[in-house]
């Protein structure tokens, strides 16, 4: 065995990088607990004087680095508790690396701050074994504020358990789950589709979000509506004592945050963001008159845009009552009108393409909550909110084709005595879609927590989630439908052909409209019981959630069975402070989860779904995990899981011809018996926030098989479905995130990934087939078209992906300590020129010609993307 293999050398280099310590910085840990119950305060915030924040893990511990040569003041805060301050004097030689802070509930403190003098215990990225991974504060900004569009999902896609997606795809698969099943909760308010540009980027700008938790394990029964993963996001909160301003400008957008204190009891923060691509488009349009290749850009009538405004506020009416508010409105869109002839290489003939496209989305929500400290041991929180999403699309694509008949086709049709009188034919292939859809939601929830003593924490709550969908869509176009035998006999009787063709199609018109008004009321009740022993060695969390859906259409309603979702987590701390290990903990858990498919928004009375036939998607998940926190400021976490998915919803569309056999008909049939088996493991080796170098390596292995018991074969017939890898499945995902900090004023961020490919079908031969064209007022005639049947394969995959992003940040600090700035230059998709097979080739359906180069990938964009950004804060 070669011990000096490149793989081992790479591992050693990475290990050395992570292990490198400098003598003028000291890694410390701060333990935060309840002063009366000696319970760790999971989620407590430790804040340095420069505004940097660190989130305490499940043991109430935050780890970070401080300068040895400076006095340090650390402010400790936790909702419902009085703040504490930890003073660390640089001149005190007796200080260790571990510190402890105890907080008491605020209504016992008369709003006074506790001050602790140092008497040795996470940073912006924290893994809670068996449950979640959290990114907060400057770590979130460091990995999310980069690139063409700064997006919180850029950070989420680097975490263990998350499947790779391209640069402009903010909808990843979480531990083998469907990407569309990821649910987001902002300040306790569910947002079902938190995306712009159809899922290309999320609505969550990193300048507006304080922390985000990805829950992909056995998360609390307080939350539901997902069988895959939950994103819990918390908005930035305004300061109650200082006016704060943050201004940022990047490659494509500008943002501004202004925070104003309110009588030292709260504050209000106004945030805004807008893209400015109008100038780019105008410049490229001007260049297009000199550079012919840029001519298509002239068709853009509305430059792609995203515009967002948000208001966040909080106010402490009394020592025991706090009010918070969050209001958001955002829109995105693009428009184009294209009228230009495009040559095709068939006997020098040309076709014209006319295109009109307009896309406009608008969404918003209002969240209002109250937090009541009822006593020294109980808290009540109420949240109500409302939101909307509107979507307007118009797409009109008209291909005006002028094509030549091939000799093969002419000879074939002559065998059936079909006369072709000319060498060419003309056809208009036009598709029109118009949609004016809207979704309205109203939500309310109550959460109650009670410290029962003796290590017991009881929680209970309920929620209501009302949704109303309004659907107004119209679609018209043409489609090829297999010619019925009776229709073939009619053509023979009319003398168009003298005998039946072996297999032919009809290019028939398609007219579809949806005019729907549907409503759904989801209600849930939940309870949790958490226990930790007095030595904080063993812990357990038991939860039960009950979800029920009642569906109402315009002229029908559907009752459903409730979904029972029990959940259990067990934690055992095996070792503490032994042999270089700070904490070794074991985790095991299992639970049931449920969600509802988005397709129910299109249900109609004709869908034929009776009471109790409509079911929620379900999954049963079990996992085991091990987490090791080292005294050397490292952490290692590994989790293995198995997930059984059942009662999963899917649809099959039946296609045919109407009674006149001149127009296509279609009907969507709903099934609720889909199932899946998902298993795998993921791990993360993390170096906590340090002065010169930190980051993490994460690896995910996933094996997922799904099955629809009812499926459609290649001939359009219903058949029994097979077990298959879903289209989004990847076996391997590896991420390396390095934050290299040579000095306080200069940082380098490196993000490198490796992802194996997604399933790729086996392409059949491109075959031609005869098609009868029917148009009003025109004698029916035959033309030649091409098709290819692709076959599912268990072994064939797309090429692997190697995303590489680099970010160079330059920081500036004013001597008064109140202002600072960051300027960055970034290179995304740096390995764009390294290409592998990404998909099967595409081809022209009228000529059968394959599109050259259509089987290669560039991992998001054909060239590396260079971006910049500047942020100034006060």
């Amino acid at each position: 065995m070669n011990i000096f293999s490149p793989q081992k050398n790479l591992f050693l280099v990475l290990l050395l990088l992570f292990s490198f310590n400098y003598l003028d910085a000291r890694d410390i840990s701060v333990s935060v607990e309840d002063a009366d119950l000696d319970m760790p305060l999971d989620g407590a915030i430790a804040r340095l004087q420069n505004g940097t924040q660190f989130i305490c893990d499940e043991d109430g511990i935050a780890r970070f680095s401080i300068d040895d040569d400076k006095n340090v003041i650390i402010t400790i805060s936790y909702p419902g508790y009085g703040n504490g301050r930890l003073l660390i004097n640089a001149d005190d030689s007796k200080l260790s690396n571990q510190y402890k802070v105890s907080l008491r509930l605020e209504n016992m403190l008369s709003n006074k701050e506790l001050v602790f003098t140092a008497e040795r215990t996470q940073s912006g990225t924290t893994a809670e074994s068996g449950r979640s991974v959290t990114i907060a504060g400057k770590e979130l900004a460091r990995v999310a504020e980069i690139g063409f569009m700064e997006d919180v999902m850029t950070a989420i896609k680097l975490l263990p358990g998350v499947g790779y997606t391209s640069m402009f795809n903010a909808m990843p698969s979480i531990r083998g789950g469907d990407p569309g099943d990821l649910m987001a909760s902002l300040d306790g308010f569910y947002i079902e589709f938190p995306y712009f540009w159809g899922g290309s980027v999320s609505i969550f700008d990193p300048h507006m979000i304080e922390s985000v938790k990805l829950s992909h394990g056995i998360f609390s029964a307080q939350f539901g509506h997902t069988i895959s993963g939950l994103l819990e996001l918390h908005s930035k909160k305004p300061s109650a004592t200082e006016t704060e301003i943050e201004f940022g400008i990047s490659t494509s957008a500008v943002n501004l945050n202004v925070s104003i204190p309110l009588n030292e009891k709260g504050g209000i923060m106004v945030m805004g963001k807008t893209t400015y691509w109008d100038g780019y488009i105008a410049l490229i349009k001007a260049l297009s008159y000199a550079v012919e290749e840029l001519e298509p850009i002239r068709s853009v009538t509305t430059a792609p845009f995203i515009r967002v405004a948000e208001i966040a506020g909080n106010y402490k009416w009394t020592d025991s009552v706090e009010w918070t508010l969050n209001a958001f409105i955002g829109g995105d869109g693009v428009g184009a009108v294209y009228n230009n002839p495009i040559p095709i290489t068939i006997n020098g003939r040309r076709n014209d393409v006319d295109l009109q496209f307009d896309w406009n989305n608008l969404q918003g929500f209002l969240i209002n909550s109250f937090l009541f400290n009822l006593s020294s041991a109980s808290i009540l929180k109420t949240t109500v909110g409302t939101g909307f999403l509107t979507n307007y699309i118009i797409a009109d694509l008209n291909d005006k084709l002028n094509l030549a008949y091939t000799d093969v086709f002419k000879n074939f049709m002559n065998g059936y005595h079909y006369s072709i009188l000319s060498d060419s034919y003309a056809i208009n292939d036009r598709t029109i879609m118009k949609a004016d859809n809207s979704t309205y939601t109203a939500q309310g929830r109550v959460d109650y927590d009670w410290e029962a003593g003796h290590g017991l924490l009881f929680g209970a709550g309920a929620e209501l989630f009302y949704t109303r969908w309004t659907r107004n869509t119209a679609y018209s176009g043409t489609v090829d439908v297999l010619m019925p035998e009776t229709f073939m006999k009619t053509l023979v009787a009319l003398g168009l052909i003298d005998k039946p063709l072996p297999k032919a199609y009809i290019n028939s018109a398609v007219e579809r409209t949806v005019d729907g008004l549907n409503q759904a009321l989801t209600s849930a009740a939940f309870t949790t019981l958490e226990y930790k022993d007095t030595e904080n060695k063993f812990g357990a969390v038991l939860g039960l959630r009950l979800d029920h859906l009642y569906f109402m259409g315009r002229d029908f309603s559907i009752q459903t069975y409730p979904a029972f979702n029990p959940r259990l987590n067990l934690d055992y701390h095996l070792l503490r402070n032994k042999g270089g290990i700070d904490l070794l903990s074991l985790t095991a858990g299992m639970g049931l989860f449920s969600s509802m498919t988005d397709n129910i928004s299109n249900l109609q009375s004709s869908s034929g779904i009776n009471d109790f036939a409509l079911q929620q998607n379900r999954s049963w998940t079990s996992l085991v995990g091990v987490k090791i926190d080292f005294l050397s400021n490292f952490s290692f976490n590994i989790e293995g899981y198995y997930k059984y998915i059942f009662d999963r919803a899917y649809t099959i569309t039946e296609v045919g011809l109407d009674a006149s056999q001149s127009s296509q008909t279609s009907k969507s049939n709903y099934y609720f018996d889909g199932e899946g088996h998902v298993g795998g493991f993921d791990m993360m080796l993390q170096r906590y926030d340090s002065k010169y170098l930190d980051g993490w390596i994460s690896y995910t292995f996933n094996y997922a098989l799904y099955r629809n018991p009812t499926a459609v074969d290649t001939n359009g017939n219903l058949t029994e479905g097979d077990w298959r890898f879903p289209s989004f499945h990847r076996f391997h995902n590896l991420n390396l995130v390095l934050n290299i900090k040579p000095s306080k004023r200069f940082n380098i961020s490196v993000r490198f990934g490796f992802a194996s490919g997604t399933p790729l079908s086996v392409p059949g031969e491109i075959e031609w087939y005869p098609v009868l064209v029917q148009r009003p007022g025109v004698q029916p005639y035959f033309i030649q078209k091409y098709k290819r049947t692709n076959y599912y394969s268990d072994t064939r995959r797309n090429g692997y992906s190697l995303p590489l992003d680099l970010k160079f940040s330059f920081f500036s600090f004013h001597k008064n300590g109140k202002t600072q700035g960051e300027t960055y230059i970034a290179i995304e998709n740096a390995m764009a020129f390294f290409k592998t097979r990404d998909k099967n080739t595409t081809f022209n359906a009228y000529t059968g010609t394959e599109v050259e180069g259509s089987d290669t990938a560039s991992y998001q964009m054909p060239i590396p993307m260079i971006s910049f950004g500047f942020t100034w804060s006060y």
Side-chain angles (χ1 to χ4, degrees):
M1 182 177 68
N2 180 11
I3 63 173
F4 298 104
S5 65
Q7 292 87 350
K8 287 185 170 56
N9 290 338
L10 175 60
F11 175 78
L12 290 173
V13 170
L14 294 175
L15 186 61
L16 287 171
L17 282 173
F18 271 107
S19 303
F20 195 74
N21 275 307
Y22 288 79
L23 298 178
D24 58 348
R26 180 154 55 100
D27 296 325
I28 69 167
S29 58
V30 177
S31 174
V32 184
E33 63 180 30
D34 185 294
D36 300 301
L37 301 174
D38 294 327
M39 296 281 290
L41 296 180
D42 175 11
I45 297 176
R47 182 173 182 174
L48 302 182
Q49 291 166 288
N50 62 6
T52 303
Q53 296 186 153
F54 304 91
I55 309 298
C56 292
D57 62 11
E58 65 269 24
D59 296 312
I61 299 172
R63 295 182 177 88
F64 46 92
S65 295
I66 61 174
D67 294 333
D68 275 342
D69 57 350
K70 295 181 180 179
N71 296 333
V72 178
I73 301 176
I74 304 172
T75 302
I76 312 295
S77 62
Y78 190 78
Y81 285 72
N83 290 345
R85 284 199 304 163
L86 178 65
L87 310 179
I88 301 178
N89 192 328
D91 297 329
D92 192 341
S93 60
K94 298 180 181 181
L95 296 182
S96 67
N97 292 330
Q98 296 180 339
Y99 305 96
K100 182 178 178 180
V101 174
S102 298
L103 302 181
R104 285 190 172 91
L105 287 168
E106 196 166 43
N107 58 350
M108 300 176 62
L109 298 175
S110 301
N111 205 29
K112 294 183 179 179
E113 184 176 65
L114 296 177
V115 179
F116 297 82
T117 55
E119 299 182 11
R120 179 179 138 168
T121 301
Q122 210 134 301
S123 79
T125 305
T126 306
E128 186 178 4
S129 185
R131 298 167 178 81
S132 61
V133 181
T134 300
I135 306 182
K138 70 174 184 179
E139 186 67 58
L140 177 61
R142 187 155 46 201
V143 294
E145 293 177 11
I146 179 178
F148 209 55
M149 288 299 299
E150 297 179 348
D151 185 1
V152 165
M153 289 305 297
T154 302
I156 296 300
K157 291 189 286 187
L158 299 172
L159 298 178
V162 181
Y164 167 77
T165 65
S166 62
M167 183 189 303
F168 295 109
N169 184 349
M171 301 176 66
S173 168
I174 308 298
R175 284 187 171 173
D178 189 289
D181 192 67
L182 178 63
M183 174 61 78
S185 169
L186 177 65
D187 298 334
F189 183 85
Y190 292 110
I191 306 175
E192 292 190 279
F193 193 78
Y195 305 105
F196 289 130
W197 292 338
S200 298
V201 296
S202 81
I203 66 173
F204 304 121
D205 187 285
H207 297 278
M208 302 179 181
I209 300 298
E210 179 59 40
S211 67
V212 55
K213 176 193 290 186
L214 173 64
S215 298
H216 49 28
I218 311 300
F219 54 85
S220 173
Q222 291 177 308
F223 292 98
H225 303 286
T226 177
I227 63 173
S228 173
L230 173 73
L231 277 182
E232 294 180 61
L233 302 105
H234 296 278
S235 302
K236 287 186 176 180
K237 294 184 68 173
S239 171
T241 58
E242 297 179 342
T243 299
E244 299 176 334
I245 301 174
E246 180 180 338
F247 171 77
I249 185 170
S250 64
T251 307
S252 58
V254 59
N255 62 274
L256 177 65
N257 294 9
V258 178
S259 174
I260 302 173
L262 298 175
N263 198 29
E264 295 189 353
K265 292 186 176 183
I268 186 168
M269 179 182 291
V270 180
M271 298 166 278
K273 170 184 175 178
T274 182
T275 55
Y276 51 84
W277 288 351
D278 306 73
Y280 289 150
I281 296 299
L283 177 61
I284 298 175
K285 282 184 178 181
L287 292 174
S288 69
Y289 292 96
V291 182
E292 185 178 352
E293 289 77 5
L294 297 177
E295 182 180 342
I297 203 69
R298 300 180 202 167
S299 64
V300 176
T301 56
T302 302
F305 69 87
I306 292 176
R307 300 185 181 101
V308 173
E310 185 174 3
I311 298 176
N314 70 294
Y315 193 81
K316 191 168 295 185
W317 297 98
T318 67
D319 291 342
S320 59
V321 179
E322 182 177 1
W323 167 75
T324 60
L325 174 74
N326 192 304
F328 172 97
I329 188 167
D332 65 284
V334 65
V337 175
Y338 188 74
N339 297 285
N340 200 35
I342 302 177
I344 62 173
T345 58
I346 300 295
N347 298 328
R349 298 181 184 275
R350 302 169 70 91
N351 71 51
D352 292 338
V353 177
D354 294 340
L355 169 68
Q356 179 186 354
F357 180 76
D358 272 306
W359 166 292
N360 284 283
N361 283 335
L362 184 66
Q363 64 176 305
F365 48 81
L366 177 66
I367 310 168
N368 184 69
S369 65
F370 282 91
L371 179 68
F372 302 92
N373 289 327
L374 303 179
S375 69
S376 61
S378 61
I379 293 177
L380 178 70
K381 183 178 181 180
T382 63
T383 304
V384 295
T386 182
F388 71 91
L389 169 65
T390 63
N391 171 243
Y392 173 79
I393 301 174
I394 180 169
D396 186 347
L397 176 64
N398 188 12
D399 279 338
K400 302 173 184 178
L401 305 172
N402 182 15
L403 301 172
Y405 290 113
T406 65
D407 291 338
V408 172
F409 179 73
K410 287 190 289 186
N411 292 334
F412 175 82
M413 296 304 296
N414 285 336
Y416 292 85
H417 287 270
Y418 175 77
S419 299
I420 298 178
L421 303 179
S422 64
D423 292 332
S424 64
Y425 66 93
I427 181 174
N428 279 13
D429 191 357
R430 187 174 188 181
T431 301
I432 302 174
M433 187 186 76
K434 296 180 180 180
D436 189 359
N437 301 325
S438 64
T439 302
Y440 169 79
T441 65
Q443 303 174 37
R445 64 179 293 141
V446 177
D447 295 87
Y448 173 75
D449 291 304
W450 173 50
E451 287 270 10
H454 306 288
L456 290 173
L457 174 64
F458 171 78
E463 66 180 39
L464 287 175
F465 191 162
Y466 168 78
T467 307
R468 185 185 68 206
W469 301 280
T470 303
R471 298 290 183 260
N472 292 293
T473 62
Y475 173 88
S476 64
T478 60
V479 67
D480 295 338
V481 180
L482 185 64
M483 186 179 294
E485 184 178 344
T486 55
F487 193 88
M488 187 79 71
K489 292 179 179 179
T490 301
L491 296 181
V492 174
L494 293 175
L496 191 63
I497 52 178
D498 66 346
K499 55 185 175 181
L501 294 167
K503 195 172 186 179
Y505 290 77
I506 301 175
N507 185 251
S508 62
V510 180
E511 298 282 348
R512 297 175 189 161
T513 59
V514 175
D515 182 12
L517 176 60
N518 289 332
Q519 304 171 82
L521 179 63
T522 302
S523 55
F526 52 85
T527 181
T528 60
L529 181 63
E530 181 176 351
Y531 170 75
K532 288 188 178 181
D533 63 11
T534 55
E535 297 180 355
N536 198 26
K537 193 169 186 178
F538 172 76
V541 180
L542 177 64
L544 176 62
R545 182 181 177 91
L546 177 65
D547 289 278
H548 177 260
L549 170 71
Y550 182 65
F551 187 87
M552 298 159 284
R554 181 169 282 161
D555 52 358
F556 69 102
S557 63
I558 303 174
Q559 184 60 269
T560 69
Y561 290 114
F564 289 87
N565 297 313
R567 299 168 195 176
L568 174 65
N569 286 93
L570 300 174
D571 302 287
Y572 184 71
H573 296 166
L574 189 62
L575 291 176
R576 282 185 181 273
N577 296 320
K578 289 187 179 181
I581 295 177
D582 181 31
L583 178 64
L584 170 60
S585 59
L586 309 178
T587 297
M590 63 181 66
L592 280 167
F593 302 85
S594 63
S595 68
M596 184 51 63
T597 176
D598 294 336
N599 288 337
I600 65 172
S601 63
N602 296 317
L603 282 178
Q604 300 179 12
S605 58
S606 60
S607 300
I609 300 178
N610 300 319
D611 283 345
F612 306 110
L614 177 62
Q615 299 184 53
Q616 300 184 50
N617 300 326
R618 304 297 306 280
S619 75
W620 177 80
T621 302
S622 60
L623 62 80
V624 293
V626 177
K627 184 181 180 184
I628 307 174
D629 291 326
F630 297 93
L631 294 172
S632 55
N633 216 26
F634 280 86
S635 176
F636 176 75
N637 187 64
I638 181 170
E639 297 176 21
Y641 58 89
Y642 167 73
K643 186 171 6 180
Y644 174 59
I645 300 171
F646 58 101
D647 293 345
R648 183 176 54 84
Y650 60 98
T651 60
I652 294 178
T653 302
E654 291 184 16
V655 178
L657 293 173
D658 63 6
S660 67
Q661 297 189 334
S662 61
S663 183
Q664 186 202 59
T665 61
S666 65
K667 178 186 176 183
S668 293
N669 295 317
Y670 291 79
Y671 299 84
F672 303 95
D673 57 356
E675 54 184 334
H677 294 285
V678 182
F681 66 90
D682 45 58
M683 62 181 73
M684 181 167 69
L685 173 64
Q686 182 181 3
R687 165 113 166 124
Y688 290 126
D689 189 85
S690 185
K691 184 175 182 180
Y692 287 96
L693 188 140
D694 52 62
W696 69 83
I697 301 174
S698 68
Y699 170 74
T700 298
F701 172 80
N702 180 263
Y703 193 94
L705 288 174
Y706 283 58
R707 185 175 83 96
N708 294 340
T710 303
V712 179
D713 62 20
T714 56
N715 294 318
N717 301 316
L718 294 180
T719 185
E720 183 177 352
D722 299 323
W723 288 97
R724 299 185 173 190
F725 293 109
S727 60
F728 49 81
H729 174 256
R730 297 179 187 272
F731 283 112
H732 309 282
N733 287 273
L734 174 71
N735 288 299
L736 169 64
V737 178
L738 284 177
N739 302 311
I740 306 168
K741 298 173 275 188
S743 71
K744 186 178 180 181
R745 296 181 179 273
F746 177 60
N747 288 185
I748 302 173
S749 297
V750 181
R751 306 183 312 188
F752 173 74
F754 168 83
S756 58
T758 53
L760 184 63
S761 60
V762 177
E765 297 293 329
I766 298 176
E767 302 173 331
W768 70 268
Y769 60 97
V771 180
L772 183 70
V773 177
Q774 294 189 108
R775 297 291 185 270
V778 179
Q779 177 73 18
Y781 60 96
F782 279 99
I783 65 171
Q784 179 183 17
K785 291 185 71 175
Y786 294 82
K787 66 176 182 177
R788 178 170 64 192
T789 301
N790 293 332
Y791 301 91
Y792 171 78
S793 171
D794 277 333
T795 58
R796 197 163 186 259
R797 293 266 164 169
N798 293 323
Y800 50 81
S801 302
L802 296 171
L804 174 62
D805 302 332
L806 303 171
K807 178 183 178 182
F808 305 91
S809 299
F810 304 86
F811 299 93
S812 60
F813 306 92
H814 194 273
K815 60 182 180 180
N816 62 14
K818 292 186 176 182
T819 63
Q820 62 182 35
E822 176 189 1
T823 302
Y824 76 79
I825 299 174
I827 303 174
E828 291 182 287
N829 197 28
M831 300 185 70
F833 297 115
F834 185 80
K835 300 180 180 181
T836 63
R837 184 187 66 232
D838 179 54
K839 57 184 179 180
N840 295 321
T841 57
T842 59
F843 64 94
N844 188 303
Y846 288 92
T847 67
T849 305
E850 290 187 293
V851 178
E852 185 178 355
S854 59
D855 62 340
T856 59
S858 60
Y859 308 134
Q860 312 154 34
M861 293 291 286
I863 59 174
M865 300 292 293
I866 299 177
S867 59
F868 69 89
F870 170 75
T871 301
W872 176 86
S873 60
Y874 169 81

